[in-house]
Amino acid sequence: MRTARRSAETRVAGERSLLVGVGISAVGIGMYVPFSLVFFHHVTGLSFTLVGLVMTVTGVAGLAFMPLAGTAVDRFGAKKVNLVLYGIRALGFVLYPFAGSLPAFAAVALVTALADRSFSVVQQSLIGEVARGAARDRLQASIRALQNAGMGAGALLVSGVLAVWGSGGFTYTAWGNALAFALAGLLVSRVRPVRDAEAAGSVERAPAGYRMVLRDRPFLGLTAANFLTALGYSALSVLFPLYLSTWLTAPDSLTGAAFTVNTVLCAGIGVLVAGRVRRSGARRTRSAALGSLLFAAAFVGQIVLGTLRPGQTATLVALLAIVVVYTLGELVHSPSGGALSVSAAPEAVRGRYLATYQLSYSLATALAPSLFTALLAVDGRLPWAVLTVTAVGAALALVRLERHLPAEAVHAQAPAPIAASAPGTAPAPRTSAPAAS
């Protein structure tokens, strides 16, 4: 059993290069995402209104491009598409300082947004392309930790650049970001995909288009369950600051403290927590469900806090404790949920499957602001109550889907073979249904 576990977690070819590339690109992202409106305003010279409008329109267009990215992955391979997207993003940030007119900025922003929105689909597909078994869970956890650490480092780096060069430093930041994406692409080019002989032979038999995904009810159920959990992922960035200022009337500095705690924990103990979950042998469906339940516990904590409304010191302690529980839910759910989706997707059409799955995150992100603000206007505790219900519903759905998903998706480690049943005993229950065709 230990031998099998070690072999299942063998490092993939080029894994170190992949992780270093992810970390470098995360530094680049952290250099502009926290200041996106201000960043593009200073880089292009356009007004905040025009920059915001262009970002909204191009972001929506990027969502529409995701299914095409999934098709490209299935046709050309995740590694090749990943390198193309890195190249597009690098070129976009090289050109931003020269895009001073509205048409030029819109053109560069559109092409860059198409690459940005599709990148999560391609990166998830790349994990499935280069890793097998529990190595997928480990890569999921390592990538998430590096992304948090890199984005934090990027935010600190750009703060230093702006302190030295002022707003003119945004131009140097854009070019530094382009360099980060170019270096990440060079490093990822060293990764070597692996392909099972059986899966390679299935490419010819797989039906074209998204019809296969739409006929796979268990996977669609998995996507729907993830949408319910993804609403909770939006809570920290969208609902939390509004809740603090309007319902708890707490100082805005608490928002910064909450984000700091979340980022430090994700970067510092994300791999450790995921490793403990993986070594426990828990099924991915069960560990993802546990993460959703931890989300629910944090949301219930917000309801209790919003009802009691204690003094400032007690509120600070309670909020930080709630953020810790919330972050633990994120650290438990994210690697298991990500590996579950990658492993549940047939290799020949993995890109299309994961493009469909990633839409659950995109739709939740798009819906969260209007949903949370509408509920908050009624009662500050109402959005947390709705999130509690969705998180518990996601956990129950994951457990119910368990027997309908492929066994290799549910189990990070291959389950031990079941001994033959003794005469007169019932056969062992089926652990998974055949993949939809």
Side-chain angles (χ1 to χ4, degrees):
M1 184 68 177
R2 290 181 179 177
T3 303
R5 182 168 297 177
R6 282 197 300 268
S7 62
E9 296 200 42
T10 301
R11 290 188 178 276
V12 301
E15 178 177 335
R16 183 173 298 176
S17 295
L18 172 63
L19 294 177
V20 173
V22 167
I24 290 175
S25 66
V27 171
I29 294 170
M31 289 166 67
Y32 79 94
V33 165
F35 314 96
S36 53
L37 280 173
V38 178
F39 179 92
F40 290 116
H41 165 71
H42 284 290
V43 168
T44 64
L46 298 173
S47 68
F48 287 110
T49 302
L50 286 176
V51 170
L53 177 62
V54 170
M55 290 178 64
T56 298
V57 173
T58 56
V60 172
L63 292 180
F65 186 75
M66 288 173 64
L68 295 178
T71 302
V73 166
D74 293 336
R75 182 168 184 177
F76 302 108
K79 178 182 174 180
K80 292 180 180 178
V81 180
N82 184 279
L83 295 178
V84 169
L85 295 187
Y86 268 133
I88 292 173
R89 297 164 96 189
L91 179 61
F93 279 89
V94 167
L95 295 177
Y96 270 129
F98 304 104
S101 67
L102 178 59
F105 174 55
V108 176
L110 176 60
V111 175
T112 308
L114 298 182
D116 283 340
R117 293 289 184 175
S118 300
F119 192 79
S120 58
V121 175
V122 179
Q123 183 165 268
Q124 288 292 97
S125 299
L126 183 62
I127 292 174
E129 197 172 87
V130 302
R132 293 288 182 267
R136 289 176 176 169
D137 303 70
R138 189 187 67 246
L139 278 179
Q140 293 277 357
S142 299
I143 285 174
R144 188 165 188 84
L146 284 169
Q147 285 174 334
N148 278 278
M151 289 182 67
L156 289 175
L157 179 61
V158 74
S159 298
V161 169
L162 296 178
V164 175
W165 284 292
S167 60
F170 280 116
T171 297
Y172 301 114
T173 301
W175 290 335
N177 197 29
L179 178 62
F181 285 135
L183 288 175
L186 289 174
L187 287 165
V188 172
S189 68
R190 302 176 62 182
V191 178
R192 292 202 299 271
V194 294
R195 182 178 290 276
D196 296 334
E198 179 182 350
S202 69
V203 173
E204 299 298 327
R205 300 193 300 271
Y210 280 84
R211 290 172 297 172
M212 182 175 181
V213 186
L214 297 177
R215 289 202 299 264
D216 193 338
R217 292 184 178 181
F219 191 85
L220 293 179
L222 182 63
T223 302
N226 190 68
F227 170 77
L228 297 177
T229 306
L231 287 172
Y233 274 93
S234 301
L236 186 62
S237 59
V238 179
L239 175 58
F240 191 79
L242 293 174
Y243 176 71
L244 282 181
S245 61
T246 60
W247 186 258
L248 294 182
T249 60
D252 292 334
S253 59
L254 285 184
T255 299
F259 273 94
T260 301
V261 170
N262 177 260
T263 301
V264 169
L265 288 177
C266 285
I269 66 170
V271 175
L272 175 64
V273 171
R276 291 293 297 270
V277 172
R278 192 169 64 249
R279 287 190 295 273
S280 72
R283 301 174 185 182
R284 287 171 175 146
T285 43
R286 304 288 176 92
S287 51
L290 174 60
S292 294
L293 291 177
L294 287 170
F295 272 176
F299 301 150
V300 170
Q302 293 284 26
I303 295 172
V304 173
L305 181 61
T307 301
L308 298 178
R309 298 189 186 187
Q312 186 171 341
T313 301
T315 297
L316 171 62
V317 173
L319 281 173
L320 293 181
I322 289 169
V323 170
V324 170
V325 175
Y326 173 90
T327 305
L328 287 175
E330 183 179 343
L331 297 180
V332 172
H333 175 273
S334 181
S336 299
L340 181 61
S341 65
V342 171
S343 302
E347 182 169 343
V349 284
R350 183 182 291 133
R352 292 175 175 91
Y353 266 68
L354 293 181
T356 303
Y357 185 82
Q358 289 297 319
L359 280 174
S360 62
Y361 281 113
S362 299
L363 290 174
T365 301
L367 178 62
S370 58
L371 175 64
F372 292 159
T373 51
L375 294 173
L376 195 64
V378 178
D379 188 291
R381 296 161 294 185
L382 185 57
W384 299 113
V386 171
L387 286 174
T388 301
V389 173
T390 59
V392 173
L396 293 175
L398 285 166
V399 174
R400 287 181 63 86
L401 285 167
E402 189 173 277
R403 61 191 180 93
H404 300 291
L405 294 168
E408 63 271 17
V410 173
H411 299 274
Q413 309 287 349
I418 301 175
S421 301
T425 61
R430 183 164 57 96
T431 58
S432 66
S437 59

